[in-house]
Every structure is written in C-alpha cells, then in structure tokens.
C-alpha cells in the first residue's frame, strides 16, 4: 500500500507547544555557531568549493525543460481552455482574466504537492515523523535519490516558470514584489539545498508549503465563478467560504506549526552534531533563508486575518482577494462612503 511505511505517533505529530525551543535553543545555538564555529580560510567561496557539489548540465536540463513546458502549458490552457470557459460562462469582465490565472495555479500546486507528498510519505516517512534524524549519514557529495531529484526538478522548473509568470503574465497585485522575492528565495533554497545535499530538509519544506496554495487558488476560482451572466450563484460563495476555511486551518498547521517545529527546530548545528555531523556547512546562511521564508508565511497569514476581520466587521460583504488593486479600491470607496454617512 502507498503509506505502509508511514507510522505516525503522537510524539511525531508534535501535538504539544514547542515554540519556546525556537527562542531558548535554536537562536542561542545559531549564535554560538556564528561566534565559535571554525570558518574556511577562503571564507564563503572556500566553503562552496568544499561542501557544494556542482550541479551538472545533465541535472539542470530537466528543470529548465519543465520551466519551458510549464510556461507553454500556461499559455495554452489560458487561451484554449480557461479564458474561453470564462467568456462562455459570461463572468464579470474583471474576473475573465483572473479566473485563468487562479485555475492554472491551482492545477500546478495539485501536481507539485501531490508528487512531493507521495515521495515523502511513501518512500521517506522518517523525514516527516523523525525530523531530528535528517542529518543522519549526511556527508558532502552524498548521492541524491532519483525520486527526490525528480521532486527538486519539478519544483525548480515550476519556480523558474513562476518568476517569469509573476513579473510578465500575472495581474499586478499589492504583494507582487514580495511574491517575486519569495519565488527567488524558493529557487535559491532549492538549488542550495540540492548542492549541499540538504535534500531531506528541502523535500520537507516543499511538502509544508504547497498544500495551502491549492485551497487558496480554488477558493479564488469559486469567487470568480460566483457572478455569471449577471446573476449571483450562492453555491460558489459557499464553496469559497469552505475552502477559505480549509486554507486558514492548513496554513496554521503546515506553515506556522509543523514548518517551524519540524524544520526550523531541527536544522541547527546542535541537531547535526547529535547525528555525528560535527560541522554543519552554511549553518547561518541556510537558516536565515529558512527564517525569511517563515517571515513571508506570517506576512501572508496577516492578509488572511485581515480578510476575516473585514468580513466579520462588515467592511467586506463576502470573500475576495484584498491583494487585487481593484478590490482594494472598492473597499476604500466603501469605507469612504460610510465615513460620509456618519458625518452627515
């Protein structure tokens, strides 16, 4: 069976609060590493030459090819499937361009997360259930299993595609710059963790970060389908509410709970030494990138909370993407109108 090797205990689920370890253990350990860990005589460049395995063209061909395929498929699905369906369904003019974007991303995240989850949970369940052993048997130049390489190739190709997509194809939003930086950071982490053979950490990070986007994009698709042919279809509003609830819950569990407690808590020099890795290369820079990723997760979670607040206080009657510039303008106009009514 698919998950025969996955044995999840109460302890492995981390069902007790351990956020305090991020302050009392992780931060002091990284500070001690920064102050006392011996550095290479040639500095960062010397560490790269010593601990990073050059990524060959043979390894790069697949992600670059997939990036081209992702991009061509985006154009094809937009022009031949999603946009014609939006026009046929007589969506609102502003949603005709938004629907293909969200539908495409929802489909992509289903593919990327499902494959990463399959490889992680069916082939390497200990990475998830025993993250404190991720450094076990680590050594510079270790071979990367082919199935994990495929996860990396798919993710690398997708984020190459997303950088181009975000800057040149997607609708401009209030967080477009942050989103672009996120894609660059993700691509850097993918390449860096692969070259340093921190791929056990990399596949966990991927697993925790793609799942929520499925709910996000599907919820937005439902919002765009709500008004068709000048009529409101409440079934899609109900589905949008349901999947936004799933998004909120999964974001809390995957990105704000399991990610810090299974990844950040276990990617420190202290844990590496417990697994007989006496020197963790790039301990500071690698952890800084992982913590920046957490900061971005918190930043976008604040957007989720703002949406919930606006709906609860009546500033928004129904769910919508407050990052869209047109939605932001509508909310501003509604608030201005309310203020005028109060002053009269």
């Amino acid at each position: 069976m698919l998950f025969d090797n996955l044995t999840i205990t109460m302890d492995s689920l981390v069902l007790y609060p351990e956020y305090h370890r991020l302050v009392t253990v992780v931060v002091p350990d990284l500070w001690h590493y920064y102050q006392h860990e011996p550095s290479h005589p040639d500095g960062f460049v010397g560490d790269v030459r010593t601990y990073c395995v050059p990524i060959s063209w043979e390894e790069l061909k697949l992600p670059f090819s997939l990036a081209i395929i992702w991009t061509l498929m985006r154009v094809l699905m937009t022009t031949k499937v999603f946009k014609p369906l939006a026009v046929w369904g007589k969506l609102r003019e502003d949603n005709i361009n938004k629907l293909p974007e969200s539908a495409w991303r929802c489909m992509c995240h289903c593919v990327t997360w499902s494959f990463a989850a399959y490889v992680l949970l069916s082939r390497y369940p200990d990475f998830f259930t025993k993250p404190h052993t991720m450094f076990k048997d680590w050594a510079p130049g270790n071979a990367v299993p082919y199935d994990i390489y495929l996860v990396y190739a798919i993710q690398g190709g997708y984020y190459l595609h997303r950088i181009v997509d975000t800057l040149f194809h997607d609708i401009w939003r209030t967080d477009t710059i942050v989103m672009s930086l996120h894609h660059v950071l993700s691509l850097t982490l993918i390449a860096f963790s692969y070259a340093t053979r921190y791929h056990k950490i990399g596949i966990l990070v991927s697993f925790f970060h793609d799942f929520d986007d499925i709910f996000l994009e599907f919820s937005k698709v439902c919002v765009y389908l709500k008004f068709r042919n000048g009529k409101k279809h409440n079934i899609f509003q109900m589905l949008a509410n349901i999947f936004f609830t799933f998004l909120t819950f999964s974001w809390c569990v995957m990105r704000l709970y399991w990610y810090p407690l299974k990844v950040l808590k276990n990617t420190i020099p202290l844990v590496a030494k417990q697994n007989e890795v006496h020197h963790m290369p790039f301990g500071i820079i690698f952890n800084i990138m992982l913590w920046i990723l957490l900061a971005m997760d918190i930043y976008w979670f604040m957007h989720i909370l703002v949406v919930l607040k606006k709906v609860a206080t009546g500033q928004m009657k129904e769910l919508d993407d407050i990052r869209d510039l047109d939605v932001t303008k509508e909310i501003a106009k509604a608030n201005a109108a309310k203020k005028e009514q109060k002053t009269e």
Side-chain angles (χ1 to χ4, degrees), residues 9-63:
T9 64
M10 293 294 285
D11 184 64
S12 69
L13 285 172
V14 195
L15 294 177
Y16 45 88
E18 284 201 348
Y19 288 105
H20 68 281
R21 277 182 59 87
L22 296 177
V23 177
T24 60
V25 176
V26 174
V27 175
D29 187 53
L30 290 175
W31 180 247
H32 182 272
Y33 174 96
Y34 174 74
Q35 288 186 312
H36 301 289
E37 196 74 12
S39 57
H40 195 283
D42 294 331
F44 178 76
V45 175
D47 279 336
V48 170
R49 286 199 300 260
T50 304
Y51 298 108
C52 288
V53 178
I55 303 176
S56 68
W57 173 241
E58 288 300 316
E59 293 171 299
L60 289 172
K61 280 196 295 188
L62 182 56

Side-chain angles (χ1 to χ4, degrees), residues 62-77 104-105 107-113 153-162 165 169:
L62 182 56
F64 275 110
S65 299
L66 289 173
I68 295 172
I69 292 171
W70 284 118
T71 304
L72 293 176
M73 285 293 294
R74 159 78 191 261
V75 174
L76 180 65
M77 294 297 291
W104 167 249
R105 287 208 293 258
M107 188 174 71
C108 290
H109 287 298
C110 284
V111 172
T112 57
W113 183 82
I154 292 171
Q155 291 283 340
Y158 178 66
Y159 278 106
L160 278 170
H161 154 73
R162 285 294 293 127
D165 237 16
H169 296 152

Side-chain angles (χ1 to χ4, degrees), residues 74 91 126 164 176 204 213 216 240 246 249 258 279 315:
R74 159 78 191 261
L91 270 61
D126 283 355
V164 175
T176 295
L204 261 186
D213 290 321
L216 171 64
F246 289 161
F249 178 75
W258 273 342
H279 173 64
Q315 297 179 54

